[in-house]
Amino acid sequence: MLSNLGNILLFLNVIISLSIIYIANKNLKIIGVIEKNIFKLSLIQSTSIIICFFVLIAAFIVSDFSLIAVYQNSNSLKPLFYKITGTWGNHEGSLLLWVIILSIFSFLFLIYNKNHPKKFRLLTLIIQNILILGFLFFILFNSNPFSPISPVPLEGLGLNPILQDPALAIHPPLLYIGFVGSSIYFSAAIASLISNYSEKSFSFSIKNWVLISWCFQTLGILVGSIWAYYELGWGGFWFWDPVENASLLPWFAMTALFHSLIVFEKRNLFYFWVIILCLITFILSVTGTFLVRSGILNSVHTFATDPTRGIYILIFLSLMIFSSIFLLFKKYKKENYNLNGNSKETFILINNWFMMFYLITVMLGTIYPIFTDALTDNKISVGPPFYNAIIFPVIILFLIFMALGPKAKWIKNRFKNIKTYLLILAGAVSLNLTIIFFFKSYSLLSNFIIISALFLIMSSLRDLAKTFKEKKLDFARIISHTSFGCLVLFIGLNDIFSIEKDYNIKLGETKKFENYSIKLQNLDLKNYKNYQAVVGKLEIRNINSNQFNVLNPEIRIYDNPKTLTYEAAIKTNLLKDYYLTMSNIDRSDYYNIKFQKKPLMVWIWISVIMIVVGGFIRVLSNAKNN
Amino acid sequence: MKFNLFLFFFIFLSKFIMAAEKSADPNLIHKNLRCLVCQGQSISDSNSDFAQTIKLVVKDLIEEGKTEEEIYTFMTDKYGDWIVFKPQFNLQNSLLWILPYIALIFGGFFIFSFLKKRQ
């Protein structure tokens, strides 16, 4: 029953999309306002796709195993919360979420851009609906969440236990708003090219959408990292895994885009560059999906792969890329810039320069192994050491430009306060030396990174103090830039001051290192609804202060599907995290424990949240001004 | 006097800043080796038998006095390039290592070409 209802709604959406394209196309040729029916249809489209999604959620809640998607990804014993989140925790359901975001953004873009030319709005709508159709066909022919299975199984296979987690419940929706949200400025960019709408007012139509998708993309990446930190059990939060990279590539493009948009809006420059960035952001988002879903890349995320999906997405992607390039070449007009070397325009270009460098580096590292494998049959790994070696040295320069850029004036700038900057630099250097003096020394490269991060933070804070006096507050930028400096600083300090110890330990045994002792006090077997757990009780004592913490890492045995997972025990406070994982060693009564002390972890998360807060403040102030 | 002060300061700083020469750090090496039986994990992060074995091999190699690089060469000879997370710099990987910098330089020239030409 639910299967039929879902399929009917999907077909209904195909028809609605086709009618929107048809009516909008007819409306293009008529002078006057946009026809009322288009708004109505667009609203019906969003509503019906949301209802369609609710039907799928209902199927997961009542455990309707007549649907393959439910059978493969759910189980009647699973807690209700994870039954619901399981809806988008799989390939088919998440594609439906894609279409929802495509549709809602399409509708909102239509109603919020009343001041822009009719032709531009209608064309954006048409292109967005072509994208919607593309994904609807993909769902119907290849990845239908409503496909029935017969005979109906009695019980489902269950969701991979490491995905049964609150962070992972919200991770995909956040990331998708970022990924898929970029579709709307892809459509708008194409529409702008076709309708020759290249005035600077074009920037007003897309800038908030870029910022919104950027904010959600950042949050999505953050939640994914936090999940990786406490769930994967190795204590890191970023592994330069191909799938993580796939989420980072559009992020670089978006960041470059909303900086360029400032120049386009103020000085009417860089139109084609803005368009190119709009196009590649969404293209990179789809590429990321292609790489993840096709199983081409080896990664911790490859939980849903199937080569036929890859081929469909590849065709879709090629069509998008070729039509974008074709249109660009057709419409491209040479622009003369003649910028002043010392001006805000140049500084923003420098931001884009670095963003493109990061983008190219990360993209190269992600796809290079595919090429060596295909061409020479030699599989290579490109992991953290590669990215650290290439990216970190360049970050130093980037942070310094990031500190200087925002204060530069348009057209022609003069540095009046070189003395102040030198003072700030001296402050940063001495603060860095203080850290070394009181704690420990670190590599030359780390020194430079810490100093440049401090330089950025201190000069941003100085801007804050100054703007308070002048009452020209630019909170959004200051918060985001300061927080970015903090992010680099805390990641750096965290990396430098982390301690990691690995022991094989027996019940009742104590291990000592530096000024800590660890004792395995107790082991407990516990039964839960859908798993059993061996819970360890370990006491970490600081010998100097005689303070102690008890940590309870777990080894979990899940029933459906049968899997063994290791749950890290984490004690967080403002200064540091204690991080402990425990695993059994076959045929012995020893347990392997890994203890890590990770300073300032919380501040890494807070910094990213503050970066996003800056973004949202800018969205709100833009909305107020327009 | 000024020169001496400068020299003193320089030595003082370098003593803090320069990390001392260390023997190969097993934890670092573990992080740079892929666990071949896992999905995208290093042997440092994995609890598998394979990871445990490789950890023991690394320990033996360090005790034999092998340097970090020598250990990586040993591993790639045995298991192929797939096992190291830092691709070696050779002809096949040269583009991987060089292209980012070419992009950086190229971008710099690009921006430079937008700037006002002086008469």
Side-chain angles (χ1 to χ4, degrees):
Chain A
M1 204 276 286
L2 288 173
S3 157
N4 291 337
L5 185 58
N7 274 314
I8 291 170
L9 283 166
L10 283 177
F11 273 112
L12 180 69
N13 266 285
V14 173
I15 294 167
I16 297 174
S17 269
L18 286 171
S19 355
I20 291 180
I21 294 174
Y22 177 73
I23 299 175
N25 197 34
K26 226 172 62 181
N27 200 224
L28 267 178
K29 289 157 195 145
I30 307 165
I31 302 162
V33 287
I34 295 178
E35 208 182 307
K36 283 262 158 54
N37 284 338
I38 293 176
F39 291 98
K40 281 184 197 152
L41 270 175
S42 202
L43 182 61
I44 295 171
Q45 177 184 40
S46 302
T47 321
S48 74
I49 197 76
I50 290 171
I51 294 173
C52 184
F53 193 62
F54 277 125
V55 171
L56 188 62
I57 292 180
F60 270 87
I61 292 176
V62 301
S63 297
D64 182 351
F65 297 123
S66 67
L67 306 185
I68 299 181
V70 181
Y71 162 69
Q72 283 179 340
N73 300 295
S74 195
N75 180 283
S76 57
L77 293 176
K78 210 164 70 166
L80 179 66
F81 180 71
Y82 293 118
K83 279 183 184 168
I84 296 173
T85 63
T87 317
W88 54 84
N90 62 82
H91 169 72
E92 287 82 3
S94 67
L95 268 181
L96 200 53
L97 195 62
W98 268 78
V99 181
I100 290 187
I101 298 166
L102 284 170
S103 306
I104 293 179
F105 272 50
S106 167
F107 173 65
L108 293 178
F109 189 84
L110 183 69
I111 59 168
Y112 276 112
N113 286 306
K114 297 216 163 82
N115 303 329
H116 297 273
K118 176 187 160 192
K119 198 178 172 196
F120 164 70
R121 291 168 71 197
L122 286 174
L123 279 169
T124 308
L125 187 69
I126 291 173
I127 289 146
Q128 186 76 1
N129 270 285
I130 293 173
L131 295 178
I132 293 173
L133 274 181
F135 278 97
L136 278 175
F137 285 141
F138 184 29
I139 288 180
L140 281 168
F141 298 130
N142 179 288
S143 314
N144 193 336
F146 298 104
S147 293
I149 183 172
S150 139
V152 177
L154 290 173
E155 188 51 271
L157 298 177
L159 181 72
N160 186 343
I162 64 165
L163 302 181
Q164 294 184 24
D165 184 278
L168 264 221
I170 55 166
H171 168 63
L174 289 174
L175 210 51
Y176 286 168
I177 296 177
F179 266 148
V180 190
S182 66
S183 67
I184 197 69
Y185 40 92
F186 174 85
S187 301
I190 300 251
S192 147
L193 280 177
I194 297 176
S195 62
N196 296 320
Y197 180 43
S198 58
E199 283 85 58
K200 60 183 181 181
S201 56
F202 165 65
S203 75
F204 295 119
S205 72
I206 60 167
K207 70 177 181 186
N208 256 357
W209 300 101
V210 179
L211 278 169
I212 289 171
S213 60
W214 177 83
C215 288
F216 279 100
Q217 183 86 2
T218 317
L219 281 179
I221 294 173
L222 170 72
V223 173
S225 303
I226 294 177
W227 171 79
Y229 174 66
Y230 69 69
E231 187 66 38
L232 295 183
W234 45 273
F237 55 93
W238 194 263
F239 198 66
W240 297 103
D241 172 280
V243 177
E244 294 170 349
N245 293 349
S247 68
L248 206 54
L249 294 175
W251 189 89
F252 290 136
M254 286 175 199
T255 311
L257 175 56
F258 71 72
H259 283 93
S260 289
L261 268 177
I262 306 173
V263 183
F264 180 54
E265 185 191 320
K266 285 268 153 52
R267 298 265 289 117
N268 208 0
L269 291 170
F270 309 156
Y271 169 71
F272 282 103
W273 179 235
V274 163
I275 293 288
I276 291 171
L277 286 174
C278 288
L279 298 177
I280 63 172
T281 306
F282 187 57
I283 288 172
L284 285 170
S285 301
V286 180
T287 311
T289 318
F290 162 68
L291 292 175
V292 177
R293 300 292 163 81
S294 62
I296 282 182
L297 294 168
N298 181 302
S299 132
V300 279
H301 287 70
T302 38
F303 57 92
T305 62
D306 172 4
T308 56
R309 291 172 191 165
I311 291 168
Y312 186 95
I313 306 178
L314 194 60
I315 294 171
F316 193 71
L317 194 60
S318 321
L319 280 176
M320 267 171 36
I321 295 174
F322 284 120
S323 47
S324 309
I325 292 176
F326 172 75
L327 208 59
L328 257 176
F329 268 101
K330 219 180 124 199
K331 297 281 181 176
Y332 184 76
K333 282 190 227 67
K334 203 175 174 342
E335 289 174 303
N336 271 328
Y337 292 134
N338 247 353
L339 301 177
N340 202 309
N342 186 359
S343 64
K344 192 168 220 145
E345 295 89 318
T346 313
F347 273 110
I348 288 178
L349 266 186
I350 289 173
N351 156 290
N352 278 226
W353 177 30
F354 282 96
M355 283 301 148
M356 290 302 114
F357 166 73
Y358 298 141
L359 199 158
I360 289 169
T361 307
V362 175
M363 186 149 75
L364 206 61
T366 313
I367 60 174
Y368 204 82
I370 304 173
F371 285 108
T372 60
D373 193 18
L375 296 176
T376 63
D377 225 15
N378 185 11
K379 257 185 142 174
I380 61 160
S381 300
V382 181
F386 168 78
Y387 297 99
N388 297 351
I390 302 261
I391 288 181
F392 283 170
V394 178
I395 277 194
I396 299 165
L397 262 182
F398 177 65
L399 290 169
I400 290 171
F401 279 124
M402 204 169 161
L404 301 179
K407 292 311 277 178
K409 294 200 167 54
W410 295 103
I411 303 172
K412 197 170 173 160
N413 181 52
R414 259 225 197 94
F415 281 111
K416 279 173 278 176
N417 34 23
I418 295 174
K419 254 191 194 158
T420 333
Y421 282 117
L422 283 177
L423 260 172
I424 294 174
L425 187 63
V429 171
S430 42
L431 210 60
N432 177 58
L433 284 176
T434 319
I435 298 172
I436 294 176
F437 187 81
F438 281 105
F439 298 99
K440 70 169 196 185
S441 66
Y442 32 84
S443 74
L444 197 60
L445 179 64
S446 305
N447 270 280
F448 279 120
I449 291 178
I450 302 285
I451 290 171
S452 49
L454 285 169
F455 181 67
L456 170 60
I457 297 168
M458 288 155 89
S459 36
S460 300
L461 289 178
R462 180 185 150 268
D463 288 354
L464 185 68
K466 224 178 136 188
T467 45
F468 255 125
K469 268 188 235 154
E470 292 168 9
K471 298 207 166 119
K472 273 195 302 184
L473 283 177
D474 184 11
F475 264 133
R477 187 271 297 175
I478 292 176
I479 290 177
S480 288
H481 279 212
T482 315
S483 309
F484 185 81
C486 291
L487 178 67
V488 176
L489 177 71
F490 293 133
I491 290 178
L493 291 175
N494 177 268
D495 185 58
I496 295 164
F497 292 105
S498 282
I499 298 176
E500 196 176 319
K501 295 285 165 187
D502 206 325
Y503 297 111
N504 290 338
I505 197 168
K506 237 180 2 185
L507 190 61
E509 207 180 344
T510 307
K511 297 273 179 189
K512 282 198 176 103
F513 62 92
E514 291 175 26
N515 49 353
Y516 288 96
S517 71
I518 297 188
K519 187 181 180 191
L520 178 56
Q521 284 183 324
N522 194 14
L523 286 163
D524 217 358
L525 191 69
K526 283 185 181 164
N527 281 306
Y528 292 92
K529 196 179 171 193
N530 53 345
Y531 64 88
Q532 285 185 306
V534 179
V535 184
K537 187 179 170 196
L538 287 113
E539 190 195 76
I540 318 256
R541 192 176 285 275
N542 185 331
I543 296 168
N544 294 348
S545 65
N546 216 21
Q547 278 178 330
F548 70 93
N549 278 292
V550 176
L551 285 102
N552 303 95
E554 291 181 22
I555 302 168
R556 285 187 187 170
I557 307 117
Y558 280 85
D559 309 328
N560 290 301
K562 202 104 191 146
T563 16
L564 206 62
T565 69
Y566 307 95
E567 294 295 310
I570 305 170
K571 269 262 153 46
T572 301
N573 66 33
L574 287 179
L575 280 181
K576 61 188 178 291
D577 277 18
Y578 288 133
Y579 191 104
L580 193 83
T581 47
M582 176 177 81
S583 60
N584 48 321
I585 300 171
D586 281 349
R587 297 174 297 276
S588 89
D589 31 331
Y590 277 93
Y591 286 82
N592 178 264
I593 57 162
K594 202 164 111 177
F595 170 76
Q596 297 179 69
K597 186 179 138 190
K598 306 193 71 75
L600 303 167
M601 277 313 290
V602 171
W603 294 99
I604 295 178
W605 315 136
I606 293 176
S607 304
V608 180
I609 291 172
M610 291 313 289
I611 292 175
V612 177
V613 167
F616 276 119
I617 292 178
R618 180 52 56 85
V619 170
L620 290 178
S621 68
N622 283 346
K624 218 170 85 183
N625 294 340
N626 287 353
Chain B
M1 179 61 204
K2 241 182 189 172
F3 180 74
N4 278 344
L5 202 70
F6 177 76
L7 203 68
F8 168 77
F9 205 63
F10 186 77
I11 294 167
F12 174 81
L13 281 184
S14 56
K15 206 171 169 178
F16 275 122
I17 291 169
M18 294 298 176
E21 185 83 19
K22 277 179 276 181
S23 66
D25 172 9
N27 280 332
L28 190 74
I29 296 174
H30 294 164
K31 284 208 167 75
N32 290 349
L33 292 173
R34 182 189 285 274
C35 166
L36 297 180
V37 298
C38 322
Q39 288 267 332
Q41 278 179 310
S42 75
I43 62 160
S44 161
D45 314 326
S46 167
N47 302 307
S48 67
D49 288 343
F50 177 82
Q52 306 291 349
T53 317
I54 297 289
K55 278 179 195 166
L56 288 177
V57 174
V58 170
K59 196 177 153 213
D60 287 348
L61 289 172
I62 292 175
E63 274 165 18
E64 280 173 32
K66 291 262 189 339
T67 65
E68 204 180 324
E69 287 307 314
E70 283 168 340
I71 294 173
Y72 294 147
T73 319
F74 175 90
M75 289 291 168
T76 48
D77 287 347
K78 211 160 171 201
Y79 296 100
D81 288 344
W82 180 240
I83 198 168
V84 285
F85 278 120
K86 185 175 184 173
Q88 284 169 314
F89 188 82
N90 53 28
L91 191 64
Q92 181 202 273
N93 300 337
S94 54
L95 281 181
L96 175 68
W97 284 101
I98 294 170
L99 270 183
Y101 292 114
I102 292 183
L104 191 67
I105 294 166
F106 187 74
F109 275 119
F110 216 57
I111 292 181
F112 195 73
S113 74
F114 291 155
L115 299 185
K116 211 168 253 174
K117 313 286 176 301
R118 283 195 188 163
Q119 263 90 37

